[in-house]
Amino acid sequence: MEYNYGNLIKIERMRRNMKQSVLARGICSISYLSKIENNQTSASEEVLEMIFKRLGIEVPLYYDFSEQVEKVRAEIEEILRDAILTRKDKGKLQEVEKYLSNPVVNQSKELYISLLLALARLDSMPGGQNRYITEIGWIEEQLNREAGLRYTLMKSLKLFNENEKEKSLELLEELNEQLPHSSLPIWEMADMRYIMGGMYYKFTDYLQAIENVKFALDYFQEHFFLERIVECHIIIGLAFKRRRRFTEALAHYHRAVKVISATTMKDYYGMLYNNMGEIYSSLGDQEKALEYFMQSFDYKVEVKSKLYSVVSLIEGYTNYNNVEEILNWLSKGYEIKGDRTGLEEFDHHFEIYKNCYQVPNQLELIKSLKEAVHYFEKYNDYVYMQKYSLWLARELRSNGKYKLATEYYEKVIDIMSHID
């Protein structure tokens, strides 16, 4: 029987922000406690009981739970698998958290680590707080190969969200090399490949994005996980669109629409129609682009998502130089946004079109374009970095500022080579 007291003690102590000296006082030496926490020695039952009492946790020391370990492991994995594959994850984190007090979990090192990894995965889903990944980091050196791969992906994702892009990409590349040689369950491999594909897309490595997500798509299609199928088609379509492979992109969007039409998942229409509109705009079919943008706006409910459609409509009418409609949608955009926070990107979009069409002022337009380029550069949004850098270069050139205009033309070229 493999006891997990060291991991349990270390994590519970760190949760309480308790120093080793405080926990060890009157019980054992600090060095002895450190060895217990790192599983370098087996403590006596008397010492363990005193440590548990000080930490305020109850763990039986005399009962053999080995026969129940696999049963509990299977229960946790089934909850996690169902939450991930069906996207029905509401309340699942709390359901799995109940196992933290299960004495079986606290008796097995591997089971305890599996529980923490399951909690970290659930807590990394939309609306989660990423609390448990920190706790796994405290015992990172004790993870086996498969657990290490799971942790590497979540750590890479966390670093990306914290804007530590280089470190995040380094871990992602490491994972991409190691994952094919792992013995992870195929359903988990599919989920991990999906996440990796999404991350590669954000890093503008569109070939790796397509390759990883196609792996996930094959599994989801084979097992009829419809929502995950739609998600895969969307990411693959986006990647093909960025590579200007518009025919392939549209094919994946149409497949996604076909899946949605047979379900109740109508929320995806807004996103899909917006992306399809962008493709038709790139192909020069502005009438069809506006048609899709309008449908996208009508389907969307959430404010941020709706604002993306507003920006697309403004851009669409700009291609026609239809000032009346540009100002109409600009007004709607300001109205929808209101005084909501966390939507700064739309302030930049709207300010540019206001200074160009509502109250034409080239100096203010140049200023707002510079601010937008700086903002989107900070978030590695290459699409708008390129769009607004090119626009800014043209405005600077027409204003006689040739040297500065050249700098922004060079930035556009650099962005294009980076994306390619």
Side-chain angles (χ1 to χ4, degrees):
M1 179 66 196
E2 180 186 15
Y3 293 104
N4 185 39
Y5 298 135
N7 294 325
L8 175 63
I9 290 167
K10 184 176 184 177
I11 289 174
E12 291 298 332
R13 177 179 63 78
M14 295 186 81
R15 276 182 183 165
R16 289 163 173 73
N17 199 23
M18 184 186 293
K19 294 181 179 179
Q20 284 185 325
S21 58
V22 174
L23 180 55
R25 188 178 299 138
I27 299 176
C28 61
S29 67
I30 296 174
S31 61
Y32 186 60
L33 174 61
S34 181
K35 288 181 179 179
I36 294 172
E37 288 188 343
N38 292 303
N39 294 313
Q40 295 172 351
T41 188
S42 298
S44 67
E45 292 174 357
E46 182 183 3
V47 168
L48 288 172
E49 285 178 346
M50 287 190 287
I51 290 174
F52 290 158
K53 185 176 181 181
R54 185 159 291 173
L55 288 171
I57 58 178
E58 294 183 12
V59 177
L61 301 176
Y62 315 109
Y63 189 79
D64 183 1
F65 291 98
S66 57
E67 293 183 3
Q68 301 181 46
V69 168
E70 287 308 314
K71 177 177 178 292
V72 173
R73 189 197 309 278
E75 289 174 2
I76 293 170
E77 182 176 311
E78 182 58 31
I79 295 170
L80 178 65
R81 181 180 181 277
D82 181 65
I84 287 174
L85 296 180
T86 67
R87 284 292 189 237
K88 296 175 182 176
D89 57 300
K90 187 176 182 181
K92 297 296 184 181
L93 176 63
Q94 293 73 24
E95 188 176 342
V96 175
E97 280 179 326
K98 294 176 182 177
Y99 284 94
L100 284 168
S101 60
N102 189 311
V104 176
V105 171
N106 292 325
Q107 290 276 340
S108 168
K109 172 184 172 181
E110 297 304 325
L111 180 58
Y112 191 68
I113 290 174
S114 294
L115 172 59
L116 288 180
L117 286 163
L119 289 168
R121 177 66 184 90
L122 289 168
D123 207 25
S124 68
M125 295 177 84
Q129 299 176 18
N130 282 309
R131 294 164 293 174
Y132 292 101
I133 189 170
T134 302
E135 297 184 13
I136 298 169
W138 298 335
I139 55 172
E140 181 179 357
E141 71 282 355
Q142 299 179 43
L143 302 179
N144 63 26
R145 178 181 173 80
E146 275 60 44
L149 293 175
R150 296 177 180 114
Y151 175 65
T152 298
L153 178 58
M154 288 185 282
K155 188 176 179 181
S156 176
L157 189 58
K158 184 172 183 287
L159 286 168
F160 183 89
N161 292 332
E162 292 171 351
N163 215 28
E164 296 278 352
K165 302 294 171 61
E166 288 186 16
K167 292 179 182 177
S168 174
L169 181 57
E170 187 178 314
L171 289 176
L172 187 63
E173 297 280 54
E174 177 186 316
L175 184 64
N176 201 40
E177 287 184 15
Q178 296 180 5
L179 198 59
H181 311 293
S182 74
S183 57
L184 288 165
I186 186 65
W187 71 265
E188 192 170 10
M189 287 268 283
D191 178 59
M192 291 176 74
R193 289 289 189 187
Y194 169 81
I195 296 171
M196 291 165 66
M199 292 182 70
Y200 273 120
Y201 174 81
K202 291 179 180 179
F203 282 119
T204 71
D205 189 339
Y206 301 127
L207 285 173
Q208 281 288 3
I210 292 167
E211 183 178 329
N212 276 279
V213 179
K214 276 189 173 180
F215 178 100
L217 178 59
D218 288 342
Y219 176 83
F220 297 143
Q221 286 184 149
E222 184 180 350
H223 294 85
F224 301 102
F225 292 110
L226 301 182
E227 189 162 359
R228 302 307 304 269
I229 292 171
V230 172
E231 291 172 348
C232 288
H233 282 307
I234 289 173
I235 293 181
I236 295 171
L238 285 168
F240 274 127
K241 183 177 72 172
R242 295 299 178 225
R243 296 192 70 221
R244 304 190 68 79
R245 301 269 293 274
F246 298 128
T247 301
E248 289 98 328
L250 279 173
H252 280 278
Y253 290 145
H254 281 299
R255 288 171 198 158
V257 169
K258 187 175 181 180
V259 174
I260 293 169
S261 65
T263 69
T264 58
M265 300 185 297
K266 309 304 179 187
D267 293 344
Y268 285 98
Y269 277 129
M271 183 191 305
L272 283 163
Y273 286 154
N274 198 81
N275 284 311
M276 293 167 84
E278 288 180 0
I279 290 177
Y280 282 113
S281 178
S282 298
L283 291 170
D285 191 341
Q286 303 305 332
E287 187 175 340
K288 201 159 190 175
L290 285 170
E291 180 185 328
Y292 274 109
F293 289 146
M294 193 66 72
Q295 288 186 68
S296 169
F297 179 81
D298 290 340
Y299 270 104
K300 290 180 177 179
V301 176
E302 194 265 328
V303 169
K304 187 173 183 178
S305 184
K306 215 167 180 66
L307 286 171
Y308 281 126
S309 290
V310 170
V311 172
S312 294
L313 282 159
I314 291 172
E315 292 172 340
Y317 282 111
T318 300
N319 293 323
Y320 282 110
N321 199 30
N322 188 329
V323 177
E324 182 180 350
E325 285 297 337
I326 292 170
L327 296 180
N328 172 42
W329 285 102
L330 183 61
S331 175
K332 285 185 181 179
Y334 278 122
E335 182 184 343
I336 292 168
K337 182 181 178 297
D339 57 0
R340 293 179 176 86
T341 57
L343 300 170
E344 291 80 9
E345 61 185 292
F346 299 103
D347 289 327
H348 291 287
H349 291 307
F350 296 159
E351 190 71 12
I352 287 168
Y353 288 101
K354 184 185 81 172
N355 291 326
C356 185
Y357 293 99
Q358 189 175 47
V359 186
N361 184 319
Q362 189 181 43
L363 291 179
E364 286 299 312
L365 175 59
I366 289 172
K367 179 184 175 184
S368 58
L369 283 166
K370 283 181 180 178
E371 290 173 350
V373 169
H374 177 71
Y375 174 86
F376 290 109
E377 192 168 24
K378 184 167 63 174
Y379 292 99
N380 290 338
D381 188 329
Y382 294 104
V383 173
Y384 281 110
M385 281 168 61
Q386 180 181 344
K387 177 183 174 70
Y388 291 141
S389 291
L390 183 59
W391 190 344
L392 177 57
R394 289 168 177 165
E395 294 295 334
L396 288 167
R397 187 170 181 274
S398 70
N399 200 36
K401 298 182 178 180
Y402 301 110
K403 185 177 179 181
L404 193 55
T406 300
E407 290 180 17
Y408 281 97
Y409 278 124
E410 289 174 350
K411 184 184 284 288
V412 172
I413 293 169
D414 182 59
I415 294 167
M416 291 174 70
S417 64
H418 184 78
I419 291 175
D420 292 340

